[in-house]
Coordinates of all heavy atoms in Angstrom, one line a residue:
Chain A
G1 N -12.6 -19.4 9.3 CA -12.6 -19.0 7.9 C -11.2 -19.0 7.3 O -10.4 -19.8 7.8
S2 N -11.0 -18.2 6.3 CA -9.7 -18.3 5.6 C -8.8 -17.1 6.0 O -8.0 -16.7 5.3 CB -10.0 -18.1 4.1 OG -10.7 -16.9 3.8
S3 N -9.1 -16.6 7.2 CA -8.3 -15.4 7.7 C -7.0 -15.8 8.4 O -6.3 -14.9 8.9 CB -9.2 -14.6 8.6 OG -9.5 -15.3 9.7
I4 N -6.7 -17.1 8.4 CA -5.5 -17.4 9.1 C -4.2 -16.8 8.5 O -3.3 -16.4 9.3 CB -5.3 -19.0 9.1 CG1 -6.5 -19.6 9.9 CG2 -4.0 -19.4 9.6 CD1 -6.5 -21.1 9.9
N5 N -4.2 -16.7 7.2 CA -3.0 -16.2 6.6 C -3.0 -14.7 6.4 O -2.2 -14.1 5.7 CB -2.8 -16.9 5.2 CG -2.4 -18.3 5.4 OD1 -1.7 -18.7 6.3 ND2 -2.9 -19.2 4.5
W6 N -4.1 -14.1 6.9 CA -4.2 -12.6 6.8 C -3.6 -11.9 8.1 O -3.9 -12.4 9.1 CB -5.7 -12.2 6.6 CG -5.9 -10.8 6.3 CD1 -5.9 -10.2 5.1 CD2 -6.1 -9.8 7.3 NE1 -6.1 -8.9 5.2 CE2 -6.2 -8.6 6.6 CE3 -6.1 -9.8 8.7 CZ2 -6.4 -7.3 7.2 CZ3 -6.3 -8.5 9.3 CH2 -6.5 -7.3 8.6
P7 N -3.0 -10.8 8.0 CA -2.6 -10.1 6.7 C -1.4 -10.7 6.1 O -0.6 -11.3 6.8 CB -2.4 -8.7 7.2 CG -1.9 -8.9 8.6 CD -2.6 -10.1 9.2
P8 N -1.2 -10.4 4.8 CA 0.1 -10.8 4.2 C 1.2 -9.9 4.8 O 1.0 -8.7 5.0 CB -0.1 -10.5 2.8 CG -1.2 -9.5 2.7 CD -2.1 -9.8 3.9
E9 N 2.3 -10.5 5.1 CA 3.4 -9.7 5.8 C 4.3 -9.2 4.7 O 4.6 -9.8 3.7 CB 4.2 -10.6 6.7 CG 3.4 -11.0 7.9 CD 4.3 -11.7 9.0 OE1 5.5 -11.6 8.9 OE2 3.7 -12.3 9.9
F10 N 4.7 -7.9 4.9 CA 5.7 -7.3 4.0 C 7.0 -7.3 4.6 O 7.2 -7.0 5.8 CB 5.3 -5.8 3.8 CG 6.3 -5.1 2.9 CD1 6.2 -5.1 1.6 CD2 7.4 -4.4 3.5 CE1 7.1 -4.5 0.8 CE2 8.3 -3.8 2.7 CZ 8.2 -3.8 1.3
H11 N 8.0 -7.8 3.9 CA 9.4 -7.8 4.4 C 10.3 -7.0 3.3 O 10.2 -7.3 2.1 CB 9.9 -9.2 4.5 CG 9.2 -10.0 5.6 ND1 9.5 -9.8 6.9 CD2 8.2 -10.9 5.5 CE1 8.6 -10.6 7.6 NE2 7.8 -11.2 6.8
P12 N 11.0 -6.1 3.8 CA 11.9 -5.3 2.9 C 12.8 -6.2 2.1 O 13.4 -7.1 2.6 CB 12.7 -4.4 3.9 CG 11.9 -4.3 5.1 CD 11.2 -5.6 5.2
G13 N 12.9 -5.9 0.8 CA 13.8 -6.7 0.0 C 13.2 -7.9 -0.6 O 13.8 -8.6 -1.5
V14 N 12.0 -8.2 -0.2 CA 11.3 -9.4 -0.7 C 10.1 -9.0 -1.6 O 9.4 -8.1 -1.3 CB 10.7 -10.2 0.5 CG1 10.0 -11.5 -0.1 CG2 11.8 -10.7 1.4
P15 N 10.0 -9.6 -2.8 CA 8.9 -9.2 -3.7 C 7.5 -9.3 -3.0 O 7.3 -10.2 -2.3 CB 9.0 -10.2 -4.8 CG 10.4 -10.6 -4.8 CD 10.8 -10.6 -3.4
W16 N 6.7 -8.3 -3.2 CA 5.4 -8.2 -2.6 C 4.4 -9.1 -3.3 O 4.2 -8.9 -4.5 CB 4.9 -6.8 -2.5 CG 3.5 -6.6 -2.0 CD1 2.5 -6.1 -2.6 CD2 3.1 -6.9 -0.6 NE1 1.4 -6.1 -1.8 CE2 1.7 -6.6 -0.6 CE3 3.7 -7.5 0.5 CZ2 1.0 -6.8 0.6 CZ3 2.9 -7.7 1.6 CH2 1.6 -7.4 1.7
K17 N 3.7 -10.0 -2.6 CA 2.8 -10.9 -3.2 C 1.4 -10.7 -2.7 O 0.5 -11.5 -3.0 CB 3.2 -12.4 -3.0 CG 4.6 -12.6 -3.4 CD 4.8 -14.1 -3.8 CE 6.0 -14.2 -4.7 NZ 7.1 -14.9 -4.1
G18 N 1.2 -9.6 -2.0 CA -0.2 -9.4 -1.4 C -1.3 -9.3 -2.4 O -2.4 -9.6 -2.2
L19 N -0.9 -8.8 -3.6 CA -2.0 -8.6 -4.6 C -2.6 -9.9 -5.1 O -3.7 -9.9 -5.5 CB -1.3 -7.9 -5.9 CG -1.0 -6.4 -5.7 CD1 -0.4 -5.9 -7.0 CD2 -2.2 -5.6 -5.4
Q20 N -1.9 -11.0 -4.9 CA -2.4 -12.3 -5.4 C -3.6 -12.7 -4.5 O -4.4 -13.6 -4.9 CB -1.3 -13.3 -5.3 CG -0.2 -13.1 -6.3 CD 0.9 -14.1 -6.1 OE1 0.9 -14.9 -5.3 NE2 2.0 -13.9 -6.9
N21 N -3.7 -12.1 -3.3 CA -4.7 -12.6 -2.4 C -6.0 -11.7 -2.5 O -7.0 -12.0 -1.9 CB -4.2 -12.5 -1.0 CG -3.1 -13.5 -0.8 OD1 -3.1 -14.6 -1.3 ND2 -2.1 -13.0 0.0
I22 N -6.0 -10.7 -3.4 CA -7.2 -9.8 -3.4 C -8.1 -10.4 -4.5 O -7.7 -10.7 -5.6 CB -6.7 -8.4 -3.8 CG1 -5.9 -7.8 -2.6 CG2 -7.9 -7.5 -4.0 CD1 -5.3 -6.5 -2.9
Chain B
G1 N 11.4 13.9 -2.5 CA 10.3 14.7 -2.6 C 9.1 14.0 -3.3 O 9.3 12.9 -3.8
R2 N 8.0 14.6 -3.2 CA 6.8 14.0 -3.7 C 6.8 13.7 -5.2 O 6.4 12.7 -5.7 CB 5.6 14.9 -3.5 CG 4.3 14.4 -4.0 CD 3.1 15.3 -3.6 NE 1.8 14.6 -3.9 CZ 0.7 15.2 -3.5 NH1 0.7 16.3 -3.0 NH2 -0.4 14.5 -3.7
C3 N 7.4 14.7 -6.0 CA 7.4 14.5 -7.4 C 8.3 13.3 -7.8 O 7.9 12.5 -8.7 CB 8.0 15.7 -8.1 SG 6.9 17.1 -8.0
L4 N 9.4 13.1 -7.1 CA 10.3 12.0 -7.4 C 9.5 10.7 -7.1 O 9.5 9.7 -7.9 CB 11.5 12.1 -6.6 CG 12.5 10.9 -6.8 CD1 13.0 10.8 -8.2 CD2 13.7 11.0 -5.9
I5 N 8.8 10.6 -6.0 CA 8.1 9.4 -5.6 C 7.0 9.1 -6.6 O 6.9 8.0 -7.1 CB 7.5 9.6 -4.2 CG1 8.6 9.6 -3.1 CG2 6.4 8.5 -3.9 CD1 8.1 9.8 -1.7
A6 N 6.3 10.1 -7.0 CA 5.1 9.9 -7.9 C 5.6 9.5 -9.3 O 5.1 8.6 -9.9 CB 4.3 11.2 -8.0
S7 N 6.7 10.1 -9.7 CA 7.2 9.8 -11.1 C 7.8 8.4 -11.1 O 7.7 7.6 -12.0 CB 8.2 10.8 -11.6 OG 9.3 10.8 -10.8
T8 N 8.5 8.0 -10.0 CA 9.1 6.7 -9.9 C 8.0 5.6 -9.9 O 8.0 4.6 -10.5 CB 9.9 6.6 -8.6 OG1 10.9 7.6 -8.5 CG2 10.5 5.2 -8.5
L9 N 6.9 5.9 -9.1 CA 5.8 5.0 -9.1 C 5.1 4.8 -10.5 O 4.8 3.7 -10.9 CB 4.7 5.5 -8.1 CG 4.9 5.1 -6.6 CD1 3.7 5.7 -5.8 CD2 5.0 3.6 -6.4
A10 N 5.0 5.9 -11.2 CA 4.3 5.9 -12.4 C 5.0 5.0 -13.4 O 4.3 4.5 -14.4 CB 4.1 7.3 -13.0
S11 N 6.3 4.9 -13.3 CA 7.0 4.1 -14.3 C 7.1 2.6 -13.9 O 7.7 1.9 -14.6 CB 8.4 4.7 -14.4 OG 9.1 4.6 -13.2
A12 N 6.5 2.2 -12.8 CA 6.6 0.9 -12.3 C 5.3 0.0 -12.6 O 4.3 0.6 -12.7 CB 7.0 0.9 -10.8
S13 N 5.5 -1.3 -12.6 CA 4.3 -2.2 -12.7 C 3.5 -2.1 -11.4 O 4.1 -1.7 -10.3 CB 4.8 -3.6 -13.0 OG 5.4 -4.1 -11.8
P14 N 2.3 -2.5 -11.4 CA 1.5 -2.5 -10.1 C 2.1 -3.2 -9.0 O 2.1 -2.7 -7.9 CB 0.1 -3.2 -10.6 CG 0.0 -2.9 -12.0 CD 1.5 -2.9 -12.5
E15 N 2.7 -4.4 -9.3 CA 3.4 -5.1 -8.2 C 4.5 -4.4 -7.7 O 4.8 -4.3 -6.5 CB 3.8 -6.5 -8.7 CG 2.7 -7.5 -9.1 CD 2.2 -7.3 -10.5 OE1 2.7 -6.4 -11.2 OE2 1.3 -8.0 -10.9
D16 N 5.3 -3.8 -8.6 CA 6.5 -3.0 -8.1 C 6.1 -1.7 -7.4 O 6.8 -1.3 -6.5 CB 7.4 -2.7 -9.3 CG 8.2 -3.9 -9.8 OD1 8.3 -4.8 -9.1 OD2 8.7 -3.8 -10.9
Q17 N 5.0 -1.2 -7.8 CA 4.5 0.0 -7.1 C 4.2 -0.3 -5.6 O 4.6 0.4 -4.7 CB 3.2 0.6 -7.8 CG 3.5 1.2 -9.1 CD 2.2 1.6 -9.8 OE1 1.1 1.6 -9.2 NE2 2.3 2.0 -11.0
K18 N 3.5 -1.4 -5.4 CA 3.2 -1.8 -4.0 C 4.5 -2.1 -3.2 O 4.6 -1.8 -2.1 CB 2.3 -3.0 -4.0 CG 0.9 -2.8 -4.5 CD 0.1 -1.9 -3.5 CE -1.3 -1.7 -3.8 NZ -2.0 -0.8 -3.0
K19 N 5.4 -2.8 -3.9 CA 6.7 -3.1 -3.2 C 7.4 -1.8 -2.9 O 8.0 -1.7 -1.7 CB 7.6 -4.0 -4.1 CG 8.9 -4.4 -3.5 CD 9.7 -5.4 -4.3 CE 10.9 -5.9 -3.6 NZ 11.8 -4.8 -3.3
M20 N 7.5 -0.9 -3.8 CA 8.2 0.4 -3.5 C 7.5 1.1 -2.3 O 8.2 1.6 -1.4 CB 8.2 1.3 -4.7 CG 9.3 0.9 -5.7 SD 9.5 2.2 -7.0 CE 8.4 1.5 -8.2
L21 N 6.2 1.2 -2.4 CA 5.5 1.8 -1.3 C 5.7 1.1 0.1 O 5.9 1.8 1.1 CB 4.0 1.9 -1.6 CG 3.5 2.9 -2.6 CD1 2.1 2.6 -3.2 CD2 3.6 4.3 -2.1
G22 N 5.8 -0.2 0.0 CA 6.1 -1.0 1.2 C 7.5 -0.7 1.7 O 7.7 -0.5 2.9
E23 N 8.5 -0.6 0.8 CA 9.8 -0.3 1.2 C 10.0 1.1 1.9 O 10.7 1.3 2.8 CB 10.8 -0.3 0.0 CG 10.8 -1.6 -0.7 CD 11.7 -2.6 -0.1 OE1 12.3 -2.3 1.0 OE2 11.8 -3.8 -0.6
W24 N 9.1 2.1 1.4 CA 9.1 3.4 2.0 C 8.4 3.4 3.3 O 8.8 4.1 4.2 CB 8.5 4.4 1.0 CG 9.3 4.7 -0.2 CD1 10.7 4.7 -0.3 CD2 8.9 4.9 -1.6 NE1 11.1 5.0 -1.5 CE2 10.1 5.1 -2.4 CE3 7.7 5.0 -2.2 CZ2 10.0 5.4 -3.7 CZ3 7.6 5.2 -3.5 CH2 8.7 5.4 -4.3
L25 N 7.3 2.7 3.3 CA 6.4 2.8 4.6 C 7.0 2.0 5.7 O 6.9 2.3 6.9 CB 5.0 2.3 4.3 CG 4.1 3.2 3.5 CD1 2.9 2.5 3.0 CD2 3.7 4.4 4.4
F26 N 7.7 0.8 5.4 CA 8.1 -0.1 6.4 C 8.9 0.5 7.5 O 8.6 0.4 8.7 CB 8.8 -1.3 5.8 CG 9.2 -2.3 6.8 CD1 8.3 -3.3 7.2 CD2 10.5 -2.4 7.4 CE1 8.6 -4.3 8.2 CE2 10.8 -3.3 8.3 CZ 9.9 -4.3 8.7
P27 N 10.0 1.3 7.2 CA 10.8 1.9 8.3 C 10.1 2.8 9.1 O 10.3 3.0 10.3 CB 12.0 2.5 7.5 CG 11.6 2.6 6.1 CD 10.6 1.6 5.9
L28 N 9.1 3.6 8.5 CA 8.3 4.5 9.3 C 7.4 3.7 10.3 O 7.2 4.2 11.4 CB 7.4 5.4 8.3 CG 8.2 6.1 7.2 CD1 7.2 6.9 6.3 CD2 9.2 7.1 7.9
I29 N 6.8 2.6 9.8 CA 5.9 1.8 10.6 C 6.7 1.1 11.7 O 6.3 1.0 12.8 CB 5.1 0.9 9.7 CG1 4.1 1.6 8.8 CG2 4.4 -0.2 10.6 CD1 3.5 0.8 7.7
Q30 N 7.9 0.7 11.3 CA 8.8 0.0 12.2 C 9.1 0.9 13.4 O 9.3 0.4 14.5 CB 10.0 -0.5 11.5 CG 10.8 -1.6 12.3 CD 12.0 -2.1 11.5 OE1 12.6 -1.4 10.7 NE2 12.3 -3.4 11.6
A31 N 9.2 2.1 13.2 CA 9.6 3.1 14.2 C 8.4 3.2 15.2 O 8.6 3.5 16.4 CB 9.9 4.5 13.6
L32 N 7.2 3.0 14.7 CA 6.0 3.1 15.6 C 5.6 1.8 16.2 O 5.2 1.7 17.4 CB 4.8 3.6 14.7 CG 4.9 5.0 14.1 CD1 3.8 5.2 13.1 CD2 4.8 6.0 15.2
Q33 N 5.8 0.7 15.5 CA 5.4 -0.7 15.9 C 6.4 -1.7 15.5 O 6.2 -2.4 14.5 CB 4.0 -1.0 15.4 CG 2.9 -0.3 15.9 CD 2.5 -0.7 17.4 OE1 2.9 -1.8 17.8 NE2 1.9 0.2 18.1
P34 N 7.6 -1.8 16.2 CA 8.7 -2.6 15.8 C 8.3 -4.1 15.6 O 8.7 -4.7 14.6 CB 9.7 -2.5 17.0 CG 9.3 -1.2 17.6 CD 7.9 -1.1 17.5
T35 N 7.4 -4.6 16.5 CA 7.2 -6.1 16.4 C 6.1 -6.4 15.3 O 6.1 -7.5 14.8 CB 6.7 -6.6 17.7 OG1 5.6 -5.9 18.2 CG2 7.8 -6.5 18.8
L36 N 5.2 -5.5 15.0 CA 4.1 -5.8 14.1 C 4.3 -5.1 12.7 O 3.4 -5.2 11.9 CB 2.8 -5.2 14.7 CG 2.3 -6.0 16.0 CD1 1.1 -5.3 16.6 CD2 1.9 -7.4 15.6
A37 N 5.5 -4.5 12.5 CA 5.7 -3.7 11.3 C 5.4 -4.5 10.0 O 4.8 -4.0 9.1 CB 7.1 -3.2 11.3
S38 N 5.8 -5.8 9.9 CA 5.6 -6.5 8.7 C 4.1 -6.7 8.4 O 3.7 -6.6 7.3 CB 6.3 -7.9 8.8 OG 7.7 -7.8 8.8
K39 N 3.3 -7.1 9.4 CA 1.9 -7.3 9.2 C 1.2 -6.0 8.9 O 0.3 -5.9 8.1 CB 1.3 -8.0 10.5 CG 1.7 -9.4 10.6 CD 0.9 -10.1 11.7 CE 1.4 -11.5 11.8 NZ 0.5 -12.4 12.5
I40 N 1.5 -4.9 9.7 CA 0.9 -3.6 9.5 C 1.2 -3.1 8.1 O 0.3 -2.6 7.4 CB 1.3 -2.6 10.6 CG1 0.8 -3.1 11.9 CG2 0.8 -1.2 10.2 CD1 1.4 -2.3 13.1
T41 N 2.4 -3.2 7.6 CA 2.7 -2.8 6.3 C 1.9 -3.6 5.3 O 1.4 -3.0 4.3 CB 4.2 -2.9 6.0 OG1 5.0 -2.3 7.1 CG2 4.6 -2.3 4.7
G42 N 1.8 -4.8 5.4 CA 1.0 -5.7 4.5 C -0.4 -5.2 4.5 O -1.1 -5.2 3.5
M43 N -1.0 -4.9 5.7 CA -2.4 -4.5 5.7 C -2.6 -3.2 5.0 O -3.5 -3.0 4.2 CB -2.8 -4.3 7.2 CG -3.0 -5.6 8.0 SD -3.3 -5.2 9.7 CE -4.9 -4.5 9.7
L44 N -1.7 -2.2 5.3 CA -1.8 -0.9 4.7 C -1.6 -0.9 3.1 O -2.2 -0.1 2.4 CB -0.8 0.1 5.3 CG -1.0 0.4 6.8 CD1 -0.1 1.6 7.2 CD2 -2.5 0.7 7.1
L45 N -0.8 -1.9 2.6 CA -0.6 -2.0 1.2 C -1.9 -2.4 0.5 O -1.9 -2.3 -0.8 CB 0.5 -3.0 0.9 CG 1.9 -2.5 1.2 CD1 3.0 -3.5 0.9 CD2 2.2 -1.2 0.4
E46 N -2.9 -2.8 1.2 CA -4.2 -3.1 0.5 C -4.9 -1.9 0.2 O -5.9 -1.9 -0.5 CB -5.0 -4.1 1.4 CG -4.3 -5.4 1.6 CD -5.1 -6.3 2.5 OE1 -6.1 -5.9 3.1 OE2 -4.8 -7.5 2.6
M47 N -4.5 -0.7 0.7 CA -5.1 0.5 0.4 C -4.7 1.0 -1.0 O -3.7 0.5 -1.6 CB -4.7 1.6 1.4 CG -5.2 1.3 2.8 SD -4.3 2.3 4.1 CE -4.7 4.0 3.5
D48 N -5.5 2.0 -1.5 CA -5.1 2.6 -2.8 C -3.7 3.3 -2.7 O -3.4 3.9 -1.7 CB -6.1 3.7 -3.2 CG -7.4 3.0 -3.7 OD1 -7.4 1.8 -3.9 OD2 -8.4 3.8 -3.8
N49 N -3.0 3.2 -3.8 CA -1.6 3.8 -3.8 C -1.7 5.3 -3.5 O -0.8 5.9 -2.9 CB -1.0 3.6 -5.2 CG -0.5 2.2 -5.4 OD1 -0.7 1.4 -4.4 ND2 0.0 1.9 -6.5
S50 N -2.8 6.0 -4.0 CA -2.9 7.4 -3.7 C -3.0 7.7 -2.2 O -2.5 8.7 -1.7 CB -4.1 8.0 -4.5 OG -5.3 7.3 -4.1
E51 N -3.7 6.8 -1.5 CA -3.8 7.0 -0.1 C -2.5 6.7 0.6 O -2.2 7.3 1.6 CB -4.9 6.1 0.5 CG -6.3 6.4 0.1 CD -7.4 5.5 0.8 OE1 -7.6 5.7 2.0 OE2 -7.9 4.7 0.1
L52 N -1.8 5.7 0.1 CA -0.5 5.4 0.7 C 0.5 6.6 0.5 O 1.3 6.8 1.4 CB 0.1 4.1 0.0 CG -0.8 2.9 0.3 CD1 -0.3 1.7 -0.5 CD2 -0.7 2.5 1.8
L53 N 0.4 7.3 -0.6 CA 1.3 8.4 -0.8 C 1.0 9.5 0.2 O 1.8 10.2 0.7 CB 1.1 9.0 -2.2 CG 1.8 8.2 -3.4 CD1 1.4 8.7 -4.7 CD2 3.3 8.2 -3.2
L54 N -0.3 9.7 0.5 CA -0.7 10.6 1.5 C -0.2 10.3 2.9 O 0.3 11.1 3.7 CB -2.2 10.8 1.6 CG -2.9 11.4 0.4 CD1 -4.5 11.4 0.6 CD2 -2.5 12.8 0.2
L55 N -0.2 9.0 3.2 CA 0.4 8.5 4.5 C 1.9 8.8 4.5 O 2.4 9.2 5.6 CB 0.2 7.0 4.7 CG -1.3 6.6 4.9 CD1 -1.3 5.1 5.2 CD2 -2.0 7.3 6.0
L56 N 2.6 8.7 3.4 CA 4.0 8.9 3.4 C 4.3 10.4 3.7 O 5.3 10.8 4.2 CB 4.6 8.5 2.0 CG 4.9 7.0 1.8 CD1 5.2 6.8 0.4 CD2 6.0 6.6 2.7
E57 N 3.4 11.3 3.3 CA 3.6 12.7 3.4 C 3.1 13.2 4.8 O 3.5 14.3 5.2 CB 2.7 13.4 2.4 CG 3.2 13.3 1.0 CD 2.4 14.0 0.0 OE1 1.3 14.5 0.4 OE2 2.7 14.0 -1.2
S58 N 2.3 12.4 5.5 CA 1.7 12.9 6.7 C 1.9 11.9 7.9 O 1.2 10.9 8.0 CB 0.1 13.0 6.5 OG -0.5 13.2 7.8
P59 N 2.9 12.2 8.7 CA 3.2 11.3 9.8 C 2.0 11.2 10.7 O 1.8 10.1 11.3 CB 4.3 12.1 10.6 CG 5.0 12.9 9.5 CD 3.9 13.3 8.6
E60 N 1.2 12.2 10.9 CA 0.0 12.1 11.8 C -1.0 11.1 11.2 O -1.6 10.3 11.9 CB -0.6 13.5 11.9 CG 0.2 14.4 12.8 CD -0.5 15.7 13.0 OE1 -1.7 15.9 12.5 OE2 0.1 16.6 13.5
S61 N -1.2 11.1 9.9 CA -2.1 10.2 9.2 C -1.6 8.8 9.3 O -2.4 7.8 9.6 CB -2.4 10.6 7.8 OG -2.9 11.9 7.7
L62 N -0.3 8.6 9.1 CA 0.3 7.3 9.2 C 0.1 6.7 10.6 O -0.2 5.6 10.8 CB 1.8 7.4 8.9 CG 2.5 6.0 8.9 CD1 1.9 5.1 7.9 CD2 4.0 6.2 8.7
C63 N 0.4 7.6 11.6 CA 0.3 7.2 13.0 C -1.1 6.7 13.3 O -1.3 5.7 14.0 CB 0.7 8.3 13.9 SG 1.0 7.8 15.6
Y64 N -2.1 7.4 12.8 CA -3.5 7.1 13.0 C -3.8 5.7 12.3 O -4.5 4.9 13.0 CB -4.4 8.2 12.4 CG -5.9 8.0 12.6 CD1 -6.5 8.2 13.8 CD2 -6.6 7.5 11.5 CE1 -7.9 8.0 13.9 CE2 -8.0 7.3 11.6 CZ -8.6 7.5 12.8 OH -10.0 7.3 12.9
K65 N -3.4 5.5 11.1 CA -3.7 4.3 10.4 C -3.0 3.1 11.1 O -3.5 2.0 11.1 CB -3.2 4.4 8.9 CG -4.1 5.1 8.0 CD -5.3 4.2 7.7 CE -6.4 4.9 7.0 NZ -7.7 4.2 6.9
V66 N -1.8 3.3 11.6 CA -1.1 2.3 12.3 C -1.8 1.8 13.5 O -2.0 0.7 13.8 CB 0.4 2.7 12.6 CG1 1.1 1.7 13.6 CG2 1.2 2.8 11.3
D67 N -2.3 2.8 14.3 CA -3.1 2.5 15.4 C -4.4 1.7 15.0 O -4.7 0.8 15.7 CB -3.6 3.8 16.1 CG -2.4 4.4 16.9 OD1 -1.4 3.7 17.2 OD2 -2.6 5.6 17.4
E68 N -5.0 2.1 13.9 CA -6.2 1.4 13.5 C -5.8 -0.1 13.1 O -6.5 -1.0 13.5 CB -6.7 2.0 12.2 CG -7.8 3.1 12.4 CD -8.4 3.5 11.1 OE1 -7.9 3.1 10.0 OE2 -9.4 4.2 11.2
A69 N -4.7 -0.2 12.4 CA -4.3 -1.6 12.0 C -4.0 -2.4 13.2 O -4.3 -3.6 13.3 CB -3.0 -1.5 11.1
V70 N -3.3 -1.9 14.3 CA -3.0 -2.6 15.5 C -4.3 -3.1 16.1 O -4.4 -4.2 16.6 CB -2.2 -1.8 16.4 CG1 -2.1 -2.4 17.8 CG2 -0.8 -1.5 15.9
A71 N -5.3 -2.2 16.2 CA -6.6 -2.6 16.8 C -7.3 -3.7 16.0 O -7.8 -4.6 16.6 CB -7.5 -1.3 16.8
V72 N -7.2 -3.7 14.7 CA -7.8 -4.8 13.9 C -7.0 -6.1 14.1 O -7.6 -7.1 14.3 CB -7.7 -4.4 12.4 CG1 -8.2 -5.6 11.5 CG2 -8.7 -3.2 12.1
L73 N -5.7 -6.0 14.1 CA -4.9 -7.2 14.4 C -5.2 -7.8 15.7 O -5.4 -9.1 15.8 CB -3.4 -6.8 14.3 CG -2.7 -6.8 13.0 CD1 -1.3 -6.4 13.1 CD2 -2.8 -8.2 12.3
E74 N -5.3 -7.0 16.7 CA -5.6 -7.5 18.1 C -7.0 -8.1 18.1 O -7.2 -9.1 18.8 CB -5.5 -6.4 19.1 CG -4.0 -6.0 19.3 CD -3.9 -4.8 20.3 OE1 -4.9 -4.1 20.5 OE2 -2.7 -4.6 20.7
A75 N -8.0 -7.5 17.4 CA -9.3 -8.1 17.4 C -9.3 -9.5 16.7 O -10.0 -10.4 17.1 CB -10.3 -7.1 16.6
C76 N -8.5 -9.6 15.6 CA -8.4 -10.9 14.9 C -7.8 -11.9 15.8 O -8.1 -13.1 15.6 CB -7.6 -10.7 13.6 SG -8.5 -9.8 12.3
Q77 N -6.8 -11.5 16.6 CA -6.1 -12.5 17.3 C -6.8 -12.9 18.6 O -6.4 -13.8 19.3 CB -4.6 -12.0 17.6 CG -3.8 -12.0 16.4 CD -2.5 -11.2 16.5 OE1 -2.3 -10.6 17.6 NE2 -1.7 -11.2 15.5
A78 N -7.8 -12.1 19.0 CA -8.4 -12.3 20.3 C -9.3 -13.5 20.2 O -9.8 -13.9 19.1 CB -9.3 -11.1 20.6

């Protein structure tokens, strides 16, 4: 399936882009 | 304190709210799971902000959620 890129990783100091995947 | 966190969040955009919550949660998660902290933080950020605030206030709840996230990650990678 499309779960290869899940979960989105959070890195301090980097803008969070996880919302784009919901 | 809680009021500072809540008022800071209220003045931010949705994207910035998640980023701030991530910045606050990451070091706490890193203390529990150093190698998986980035993925676990990303997973937990999919929760409602109100739930994330509760996790920030409750180390026991955070520990429980981190354990859950690790179990899910391991199941996905198996």
Side-chain angles (χ1 to χ4, degrees):
Chain A
S2 59
S3 61
I4 291 174
N5 292 323
W6 186 90
E9 294 189 14
F10 177 87
H11 296 280
V14 178
W16 175 241
K17 303 210 163 108
L19 287 178
Q20 295 175 1
N21 297 323
I22 296 177
Chain B
R2 179 179 194 174
C3 289
L4 179 61
I5 289 176
S7 64
T8 303
L9 275 182
S11 65
S13 69
E15 291 86 358
D16 284 345
Q17 288 177 10
K18 290 292 187 185
K19 183 175 185 297
M20 280 191 266
L21 286 164
E23 301 278 2
W24 288 323
L25 282 167
F26 184 82
L28 304 177
I29 294 170
Q30 196 173 35
L32 297 169
Q33 289 288 339
T35 59
L36 294 173
S38 292
K39 291 189 176 196
I40 293 171
T41 307
M43 288 172 70
L44 296 190
L45 285 178
E46 294 178 351
M47 298 164 55
D48 286 346
N49 288 357
S50 58
E51 291 186 74
L52 294 171
L53 284 173
L54 292 177
L55 292 185
L56 282 170
E57 293 177 353
S58 168
E60 287 180 10
S61 299
L62 180 64
C63 194
Y64 179 79
K65 276 289 173 191
V66 168
D67 281 348
E68 268 190 349
V70 170
V72 172
L73 274 178
E74 288 176 346
C76 286
Q77 289 166 358

